[in-house]
Amino acid sequence: MRVCVIGTGYVGLVTGVCLAHIGHEVICVDNNEEKVKLMQSGQSPIFEPGLSELMQGVIQAGRIHFTTDLAAGVNHGEILFIAVGTPPMPTGESDTRYVEAVARGIGAHLNSGYKVIVNKSTVPIGSGDWVRMLVLDGVAERQQATVTPGGSTTIETQIDFDVVSNPEFLREGCAVYDTFNPDRIVLGSNNPKAIAMMKELYAPIVSREFAEDKSLPTVPVVVTDLSSAEMVKYASNAFLATKISFINEVANICDRVGADVTQVAKGIGLDSRIGSKFLQAGIGWGGSCFPKDVSALIHTADDYGYEAQLLKAAVTVNQRQRMIALEKLQQVLKILKGKTVGLLGLTFKPDTDDMRDAPALDLIEQLHRLGTKVKAYDPLVAQSGMRHGLSNVLVETDAERLADGCDALVLVTDWQQFRTLDYAKMAKLMNHPVMIDGRNFLDQAALEAVGFRYVGIGRCG
Ligand SMILES: NC(=O)c1ccc[n+]([C@@H]2O[C@H](COP(=O)([O-])OP(=O)(O)OC[C@H]3O[C@@H](n4cnc5c(N)ncnc54)[C@H](O)[C@@H]3O)[C@@H](O)[C@H]2O)c1
């Protein structure tokens, strides 16, 4: 099928490349010229495991093209994905101006022939109808612009389209895997014709043709109305964020009563009604999705006269949790002024270069406020040099340089390679070999054996 993906960030680029890989003809449109040039030269502007290799393959096969020309993309696609960002505004609402610009732009270039316009961006509930209205506005603006001085319209295009909500559930760090191995595909629309086209598009994924385990049953496709599909996305992220806040709250109580949250999490996670995922206590959730999606849902509830108390509490617990490493540093080192703290990891989770709303940023800000010198080592951020607003941090190129002269280390991101660092050597390079394990990720006994004072989260320390 002919597909156009508008917006080539973490979601759009992965979607475009994966759809091309399963055999579709894809044009990816982005208004960032630099990004488009990079992609045209075969390079991915983001880091996602497996993405670059897949991208090279589909470029060579001629099944994907990158452009800034929206008109070309709209003309090409039978299915047009909107995958632009919907970042949070200070009020907690989603900033939908990029979606608005794209929807109007699609309308301005829509030609004859039936098209399905897919909201892949996470958009506030009700956005499906809003996008439809904007597309029609775009069409009307174009038609007005082409009315001749005599008053006759020169464009008489038959506009025929439907809007589908197809929320994205991929996780950064395993986005390609998630695209080929989804737990479910959600399609929201009132028109069976649009749903049929979407099912055809995803058929190879639904039948697990590209899955790691091809013996699994087919991927469930959940067909809903537009608003319910939009709500599925928000409710999923709100549930996961609340689950993390729950275990963090349990961890804080464990710290006080002398229990170990890792053992508690194992004990409760084996209950099949609960499950073990998202029960790892730590320094709180962050990233480009959870914070903004939970805030947006709280805001939507508010708009409709409902106070989402549970979600607000999940946010409050998370804000406090982000300071837990600071509290533990103060307990061990007492005065932080004039001390040097090294952060192991900066990104909000491993295997991504995304720093949006990463807990590390709050920690850095507070350490600075208290007069602490902050150093950091992150496998990806080190490669890309100083960026992401990290001018107040000395970014080191390896873990041993990081440890050199530090009064404590804080493990912020659970990168796999941090399990096997030479901690004995690092301990010797430090002023005080203290490890605040912000993800309960490291081997406490092994660290203590090489001289570290180890402090976990919710582990009585
Ligand atoms: N990142 C995730 O893990 C994830 C997961 C699920 C859903 N989502 C949702 O998907 C959407 C996209 O997220 P993302 O992380 O990929 O965003 P992103 O910021 O990485 O990418 C957005 C892209 O859109 C481009 N863009 C902006 N305005 C444009 C325009 N008018 N025309 C063409 N391109 C334009 C930008 O240049 C950028 O490349 C958001 O709504 C997000 O909430 C993200």
Side-chain angles (χ1 to χ4, degrees):
M1 296 176 89
R2 284 174 285 108
V3 178
C4 166
V5 180
I6 305 156
T8 55
Y10 289 86
V11 166
L13 183 56
V14 171
T15 301
V17 167
C18 290
L19 288 175
H21 184 71
I22 67 173
H24 299 300
E25 301 292 329
V26 179
I27 289 189
C28 285
V29 182
D30 203 289
N31 63 356
N32 182 326
E33 277 183 32
E34 242 174 77
K35 261 192 186 181
V36 170
K37 275 193 195 133
L38 202 65
M39 294 185 291
Q40 284 170 338
S41 74
Q43 295 175 68
S44 167
I46 54 160
F47 174 77
E48 225 6 277
L51 181 63
S52 286
E53 297 81 336
L54 223 56
M55 195 170 154
Q56 306 286 342
V58 289
I59 290 174
Q60 272 164 25
R63 282 205 300 276
I64 199 164
H65 297 277
F66 301 97
T67 179
T68 53
D69 183 356
L70 181 60
V74 172
N75 270 309
H76 165 83
E78 320 161 60
I79 298 186
L80 313 174
F81 279 96
I82 303 178
V84 293
T86 46
M89 297 203 286
T91 52
E93 288 166 277
S94 290
D95 183 348
T96 52
R97 83 182 104 145
Y98 307 106
V99 174
E100 177 170 352
V102 171
R104 281 187 196 281
I106 290 175
H109 300 295
L110 214 54
N111 46 17
S112 56
Y114 179 69
K115 308 247 182 201
V116 176
I117 299 172
V118 186
N119 266 343
K120 190 96 172 128
S121 298
T122 304
V123 283
I125 293 136
S127 294
D129 293 336
W130 176 70
V131 162
R132 178 173 189 82
M133 183 190 81
L134 293 168
V135 172
L136 290 172
D137 282 355
V139 173
E141 280 159 24
R142 174 183 58 172
Q143 289 184 337
Q144 263 172 11
T146 51
V147 171
T148 60
S152 65
T153 307
T154 52
I155 289 187
E156 282 297 334
T157 316
Q158 276 305 102
I159 301 300
D160 188 12
F161 72 95
D162 277 298
V163 177
V164 169
S165 169
N166 172 215
E168 180 54 64
F169 303 102
L170 63 76
R171 298 161 297 171
E172 283 179 22
C174 37
V176 170
Y177 174 89
D178 286 349
T179 304
F180 292 134
N181 303 272
D183 290 334
R184 77 297 208 191
I185 291 173
V186 175
L187 301 172
S189 168
N190 303 325
N191 191 338
K193 183 175 171 186
I195 295 292
M197 278 177 67
M198 292 303 291
K199 283 186 173 170
E200 188 185 339
L201 180 82
Y202 284 127
I205 291 177
V206 170
S207 64
R208 306 239 184 233
E209 215 178 295
F210 292 85
E212 203 159 272
D213 181 354
K214 296 183 172 48
S215 67
L216 287 173
T218 56
V219 175
V221 178
V222 181
V223 178
T224 70
D225 57 81
L226 270 167
S227 302
S228 300
E230 289 161 353
M231 183 57 110
V232 168
K233 175 64 194 173
Y234 281 108
S236 300
N237 275 355
F239 181 83
L240 294 172
T242 305
K243 195 171 176 188
I244 300 172
S245 279
F246 170 82
I247 198 65
N248 282 336
E249 188 134 280
V250 171
N252 296 337
I253 303 169
C254 283
D255 256 342
R256 285 160 177 82
V257 300
D260 182 337
V261 73
T262 59
Q263 296 176 29
V264 174
K266 192 171 178 194
I268 59 178
L270 285 168
D271 184 326
S272 60
R273 295 167 302 176
I274 298 174
S276 60
K277 290 182 180 163
F278 285 75
L279 278 186
Q280 285 74 40
I283 55 170
W285 36 273
S288 67
C289 289
F290 284 6
K292 90 173 168 63
D293 292 352
V294 178
S295 297
L297 188 54
I298 291 170
H299 203 276
T300 299
D302 217 33
D303 279 348
Y304 288 85
Y306 180 77
E307 190 188 359
Q309 292 185 6
L310 178 65
L311 301 183
K312 283 185 177 175
V315 172
T316 307
V317 168
N318 194 52
Q319 279 161 349
R320 198 175 54 194
Q321 200 66 17
R322 283 187 172 200
M323 289 303 110
I324 202 85
L326 192 74
E327 276 174 36
K328 292 191 180 279
L329 283 168
Q330 285 175 327
Q331 281 162 16
V332 178
L333 299 177
K334 307 299 177 199
I335 302 294
L336 292 182
K337 209 179 187 71
K339 300 270 173 34
T340 301
V341 169
L343 308 185
L344 268 172
L346 284 166
T347 53
F348 80 99
K349 66 176 189 174
D351 297 317
T352 180
D353 56 354
D354 199 342
M355 284 293 297
R356 287 179 283 186
D357 211 347
L361 299 173
D362 281 354
L363 184 57
I364 291 165
E365 191 187 315
Q366 290 308 316
L367 285 168
H368 261 275
R369 192 180 61 76
L370 292 169
T372 315
K373 181 175 169 189
V374 186
K375 305 206 291 176
Y377 167 63
D378 183 281
L380 272 187
V381 176
Q383 275 175 24
S384 53
M386 301 286 260
R387 55 185 191 131
H388 304 303
L390 293 171
S391 53
N392 51 358
V393 183
L394 182 60
V395 179
E396 296 286 8
T397 48
D398 65 54
E400 283 157 31
R401 278 173 201 263
L402 174 74
D404 196 5
C406 275
D407 294 287
L409 294 175
V410 180
L411 184 126
V412 171
T413 317
D414 42 350
W415 284 96
Q416 215 32 254
Q417 52 262 62
F418 290 168
R419 279 202 203 278
T420 52
L421 296 174
D422 188 345
Y423 285 107
K425 192 166 173 196
M426 286 165 66
K428 291 201 182 87
L429 292 166
M430 295 175 67
N431 296 338
H432 303 99
V434 172
M435 173 66 76
I436 311 291
D437 184 355
R439 301 285 176 188
N440 290 341
F441 179 69
L442 301 172
D443 182 338
Q444 177 170 0
L447 265 101
E448 286 173 350
V450 296
F452 269 96
R453 171 156 180 203
Y454 175 94
V455 181
I457 307 293
R459 306 182 77 181
C460 342

